[in-house]
């Protein structure tokens, strides 16, 4: 699956992340993110995979005292998005995120999806209508909600809420989508729906997904990275990571001897 | 299922280790009783107050018809030519409260948004205690502050403003209520889960957009609760208006005039030497009953609005 022609969408270069208080949660990590591919981050709890993921949309900027070192370069701009001169809001406009627990806003289904457009000051009602429909279709939830777009989003089931959150992230045409354990709060059927959705989405955008579930990583991803204690232990295409891991630690984790 | 077990009694004995512990049982019951009595004392007091108000008002309404009470435009229970129209007192209460809320709701809400969403930890920990200090200032101090400081200042802007007026004490009452509103509203906003804010930031929203479009609607039921608390405080406030608004019942909604509120009337009359059982004495209870009903209406309204907008997250 790794071909020389697969273009890079982003890459971490010697990335370090230090939490307020001095805990170095990501250590000297370098890793590529290939365009329109799904890359999975696996590893035991506390290994820094979510911390690493949240570097991509500068989520750590929300809390004082956190520090990035190294670079995350986004292509085709060839810009280090961690550069203090880069506006985190601009970064988040291009790299959207889906969270562990569905977190819809206290608004209608329609307004949840329109949110990203509204904060970008888009006022054209027809354009918003179109985008909302397109995003809900893209997140495979349109048929379930098209007759009740004005209902409160909280009235949806957990799996529907998560697909709504994906639609919300989709509505602004992001280039990269980050998924932070998107199915850990969902039942197996809703999980299967989300996984299928991710595969479909990867036709037009780049996905980085953190998962606790190794089967999920094996099912959905093209590339897999195994992290432990803030370090990248092994990275490769998913098939070879799961069938012939080169590192002993990776093999122990994948086979369930550890973690 | 349970009946099946009961109808098939097997000869079972209860081992001493599993037998009911009588001492623990009694102790639990006693504690429960004490807790219940403590809870009941507040309820009982409320009922007692309502009872006394109703009982005394009943005597009052035997002498004064309800129609007169609600339609007469004068309130002069102690005059030779006595009139018992409650409306001048109600208008005074509503006007001073409206002025107070016009000050307290915007400033209190903005303060809450600032403290919850923008202020750094250090600023918040400094500002909050200072704001809460405002609650500790005796209301009589606020009353003289209105009379001798705020009203003279307002008179520089409005030279025709009388020394006793509803605007000055209304504004001061508003300042007094700000900490109540800001602190309850801020608690409601800070209770909004961080994940919801992160969801908004992740969409590229700014701090201000997140505060206004996500956090405020999520906390709206708590914010409304803060407003209800503010309204109750304003309607029931006594000293400030008794001191600075004048004590002449006056059927007007113009804050530039002097007037008396229900509370101001009660304190004014209760301080005089009224014979027990006279109509003037009973008018206190009738006025008190109206005040209680007004507060109750605001509370029910608020409760209903809160329920309607309650968010579960």
């Amino acid at each position: 699956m790794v071909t020389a022609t697969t273009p890079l969408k982003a890459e971490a270069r010697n990335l370090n992340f230090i939490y307020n208080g001095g805990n170095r949660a990501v250590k000297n990590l370098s890793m590529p993110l290939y365009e329109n591919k799904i890359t999975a981050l696996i590893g035991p709890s506390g290994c820094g995979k979510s911390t690493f993921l949240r570097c991509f949309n500068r989520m750590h900027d929300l809390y004082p005292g956190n520090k990035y070192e190294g670079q995350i370069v986004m292509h085709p701009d060839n810009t280090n998005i961690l550069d203090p001169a880069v506006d985190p809001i601009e970064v988040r406009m291009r790299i959207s995120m889906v969270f562990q627990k569905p977190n819809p806003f206290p608004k209608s289904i329609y307004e949840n999806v329109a949110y990203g457009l509204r904060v970008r000051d888009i006022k054209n009602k027809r354009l918003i209508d179109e985008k909302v429909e397109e995003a809900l279709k893209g997140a495979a939830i349109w048929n379930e909600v098209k007759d009740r777009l004005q209902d409160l989003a909280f009235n949806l089931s957990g799996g529907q809420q998560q697909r709504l959150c994906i639609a919300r992230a989709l509505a602004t045409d992001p280039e990269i989508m980050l998924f932070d354990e998107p199915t850990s709060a969902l039942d197996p059927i809703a999980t299967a729906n989300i996984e299928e959705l991710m595969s479909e989405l990867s036709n037009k955008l780049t996905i980085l997904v953190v998962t606790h579930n190794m089967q999920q990583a094996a099912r959905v991803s093209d590339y897999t990275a195994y992290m432990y204690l803030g370090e990248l232990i092994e990275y490769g295409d998913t098939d070879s990571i799961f069938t012939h891991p080169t590192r002993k630690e990776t093999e122990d984790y994948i086979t369930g001897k550890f973690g | 299922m349970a009946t099946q077990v009961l109808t098939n009694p097997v000869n079972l004995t209860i081992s001493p280790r599993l037998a009911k512990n009588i001492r623990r049982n009694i102790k639990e019951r006693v504690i429960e009783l004490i807790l219940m009595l403590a809870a009941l004392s507040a309820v009982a007091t409320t009922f007692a107050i309502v009872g006394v108000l109703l009982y005394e008002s009943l005597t009052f309404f035997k002498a004064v018809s309800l129609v007169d009470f609600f339609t007469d435009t004068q309130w002069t229970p102690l005059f030779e030519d006595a009139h018992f129209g409650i409306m001048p007192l109600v208008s005074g209460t509503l006007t001073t409260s409206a002025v107070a809320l016009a000050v307290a709701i915007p400033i209190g809400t903005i303060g809450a948004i600032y403290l919850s969403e923008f202020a750094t930890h250090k600023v918040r920990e400094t500002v909050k205690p200072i704001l809460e200090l405002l609650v500790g200032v005796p209301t009589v101090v606020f009353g003289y502050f209105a009379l001798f400081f705020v009203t003279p200042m307002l008179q520089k802007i409005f030279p025709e403003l009388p020394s006793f007026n509803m605007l000055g004490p209304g504004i001061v009452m508003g300042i007094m209520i700000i900490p109540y509103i800001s602190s309850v509203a801020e608690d409601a906003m800070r209770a909004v889960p961080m994940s919801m804010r992160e969801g908004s930031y992740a969409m590229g929203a700014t701090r201000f957009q997140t505060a206004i479009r996500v956090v405020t609607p999520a906390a709206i039921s708590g914010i409304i609760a803060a407003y209800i608390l503010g309204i109750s405080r304003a309607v029931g406030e006594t000293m400030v208006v008794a001191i600075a608004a004048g004590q002449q019942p006056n059927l007007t909604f113009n804050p530039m005039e002097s007037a008396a509120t229900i509370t101001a009337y009660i304190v004014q009359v209760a301080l005089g030497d009224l014979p027990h059982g006279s109509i003037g004495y009973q008018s206190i209870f009738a006025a008190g009953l109206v005040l209680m009903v007004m507060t109750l209406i605001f509370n029910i309204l608020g409760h209903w609005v809160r329920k309607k907008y309650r968010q579960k997250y």
Side-chain angles (χ1 to χ4, degrees):
Chain A
M1 213 182 282
V2 188
T3 58
T5 53
T6 313
L8 267 176
K9 184 64 208 174
E11 62 188 307
R13 289 181 187 161
N14 299 322
L15 179 70
N16 281 273
F17 178 76
I18 303 110
Y19 273 114
N20 185 13
N23 176 23
R24 190 176 291 259
V26 176
K27 292 171 193 155
N28 221 13
L29 198 157
S30 298
M31 193 185 104
L33 217 59
Y34 289 107
E35 190 161 25
N36 295 3
K37 296 286 178 206
I38 300 179
T39 305
L41 286 168
I42 60 170
S45 299
C47 71
K49 53 195 190 306
S50 284
T51 304
F52 174 51
L53 180 94
R54 290 159 70 94
C55 291
F56 277 83
N57 64 346
R58 299 267 299 261
M59 222 47 186
H60 299 297
D61 289 32
L62 298 178
Y63 308 92
N66 293 331
K67 210 165 103 203
Y68 308 95
E69 281 167 10
Q71 300 178 326
I72 292 179
V73 178
M74 191 167 172
H75 299 289
D77 321 43
N78 210 23
T79 310
N80 173 21
I81 57 177
L82 298 180
D83 192 318
V86 169
D87 186 350
I89 288 177
E90 293 301 328
V91 173
R92 292 174 199 145
M93 296 228 170
R94 293 174 58 189
I95 303 181
S96 64
M97 180 167 178
V98 175
F99 294 78
Q100 187 168 0
K101 249 183 76 187
N103 57 351
F105 302 135
K107 297 173 181 295
S108 67
I109 292 168
Y110 181 94
E111 282 304 324
N112 260 280
V113 183
Y115 188 78
L117 306 165
R118 297 222 190 271
V119 300
R120 286 160 177 74
D121 268 329
I122 295 171
K123 297 210 165 67
N124 182 341
K125 172 109 177 41
R126 260 197 40 219
L127 179 72
I128 295 176
D129 280 349
E130 263 170 40
K131 283 281 180 191
V132 167
E133 181 173 341
E134 193 187 307
L136 286 168
K137 280 179 175 159
I141 191 179
W142 171 252
N143 285 331
E144 289 154 72
V145 300
K146 65 175 180 226
D147 300 320
R148 47 173 179 147
L149 290 174
Q150 297 311 320
D151 274 18
L152 209 58
F154 293 134
N155 295 334
L156 298 172
S157 73
Q160 287 174 325
Q161 285 189 13
Q162 194 63 306
R163 274 179 286 149
L164 180 70
C165 291
I166 294 174
R168 181 174 79 191
L170 215 52
T172 51
D173 297 320
E175 297 160 46
I176 301 178
M177 217 166 190
L178 310 169
F179 287 81
D180 189 359
E181 296 188 37
T183 61
S184 64
L186 303 180
D187 63 64
I189 293 171
T191 300
N193 286 337
I194 302 278
E195 285 178 7
E196 200 188 315
L197 185 54
M198 285 167 67
S199 302
E200 260 165 52
L201 291 177
S202 71
N203 290 326
K204 44 182 187 182
L205 47 83
T206 307
I207 289 177
L208 180 61
V209 54
V210 164
T211 177
H212 244 110
N213 180 332
M214 275 172 287
Q215 286 76 23
Q216 181 168 70
R219 279 193 300 263
V220 300
S221 70
D222 302 301
Y223 301 95
T224 297
Y226 171 62
M227 277 179 78
Y228 182 61
L229 294 178
E231 287 177 65
L232 179 66
I233 305 295
E234 187 165 355
Y235 170 88
D237 69 275
T238 300
D239 289 340
S240 49
I241 286 269
F242 278 91
T243 49
H244 317 286
T246 52
R247 297 278 299 260
K248 180 85 172 58
E249 299 98 307
T250 315
E251 189 181 339
D252 286 351
Y253 181 71
I254 287 167
T255 53
K257 278 187 198 145
F258 160 74
Chain B
M1 285 303 197
T3 53
Q4 219 174 14
V5 176
L6 286 175
T7 52
N8 294 323
V10 189
N11 215 3
L12 287 177
T13 54
I14 295 171
S15 79
R17 279 177 64 195
L18 290 175
K20 276 199 173 172
N21 183 331
I22 309 278
R23 264 187 54 210
R24 185 171 57 212
N25 244 355
I26 292 174
K27 210 172 132 196
E28 283 288 304
R29 284 287 158 79
V30 170
I31 290 170
E32 197 185 317
L33 193 76
I34 292 170
L35 294 178
M36 195 183 72
L37 283 178
L40 272 184
S41 65
V43 179
T45 313
T46 311
F47 275 107
I49 291 173
V50 174
V52 171
L53 280 179
L54 281 175
Y55 177 78
E56 295 283 351
S57 306
L58 217 65
T59 334
F60 174 83
F61 286 116
K62 270 179 196 150
V64 179
S65 81
L66 271 175
V67 177
D68 281 350
F69 188 66
F70 284 114
T71 56
D72 199 325
T73 56
Q74 288 182 61
W75 178 261
T76 54
L78 306 179
F79 286 16
E80 202 69 38
D81 169 33
H83 283 274
F84 298 96
I86 193 73
M87 281 309 155
L89 295 183
V90 171
S91 76
T93 301
L94 289 179
T95 309
T96 50
S97 299
V99 173
L101 293 172
V103 172
I105 286 186
I107 299 181
T109 312
I110 293 168
I113 292 175
Y114 171 73
L115 283 178
S116 158
E117 303 302 308
F118 291 88
T120 60
H121 181 76
K122 216 173 143 190
V123 170
R124 180 165 50 236
E125 293 313 307
T126 319
V127 171
K128 266 197 102 170
I130 295 173
L131 254 168
E132 274 153 20
L133 211 64
L134 216 55
V135 177
V137 177
T139 54
V140 65
V141 175
F142 278 112
Y144 282 100
F145 177 65
L147 185 61
F148 293 130
F149 183 76
V150 176
T151 294
M153 243 172 52
L154 289 169
Q155 279 169 330
K156 287 191 183 129
I157 310 166
F158 311 107
E160 72 282 10
L161 189 75
S163 299
F164 290 110
N165 62 75
M166 293 191 279
L167 188 62
I171 291 172
V172 170
M173 223 155 73
I175 295 168
M176 213 174 83
I177 296 169
I178 289 170
Y180 286 89
I181 291 185
S182 71
S183 129
V184 175
E186 191 223 327
D187 286 345
M189 298 179 81
R190 281 169 63 80
V192 173
M194 202 56 211
S195 66
M196 209 180 268
R197 287 189 189 86
E198 287 191 343
S200 169
Y201 288 123
M203 291 306 301
T206 62
R207 244 177 201 223
F208 184 70
Q209 287 169 329
T210 303
I212 298 300
R213 291 165 186 253
V214 172
V215 179
T216 306
I220 195 71
S221 98
I223 294 171
I224 291 169
Y227 295 168
I228 298 165
L229 186 71
I231 293 172
S232 301
R233 287 282 309 170
V235 171
E237 173 48 36
T238 308
M239 280 325 275
V240 177
V241 280
I243 291 168
Q247 302 195 340
Q248 297 304 314
N250 182 0
L251 183 54
T252 177
F253 289 98
N254 180 3
M256 309 288 277
E257 288 181 40
S258 83
T261 62
I262 299 176
T263 51
Y265 168 76
I266 294 175
V267 74
Q268 175 196 4
V269 175
L271 288 176
D273 43 5
L274 273 173
H276 195 284
S278 68
I279 188 83
Y281 173 82
Q282 273 147 358
S283 70
I284 294 177
F285 293 94
L289 187 67
V290 171
L291 186 63
M292 207 196 69
V293 170
M294 277 171 70
T295 318
L296 193 69
I297 291 172
F298 285 128
N299 272 300
I300 292 172
L301 224 77
H303 189 79
W304 179 78
V305 174
R306 263 189 85 181
K307 237 178 103 179
K308 191 162 176 244
Y309 291 103
R310 163 126 46 214
Q311 307 287 3
K312 44 180 196 297
Y313 39 73

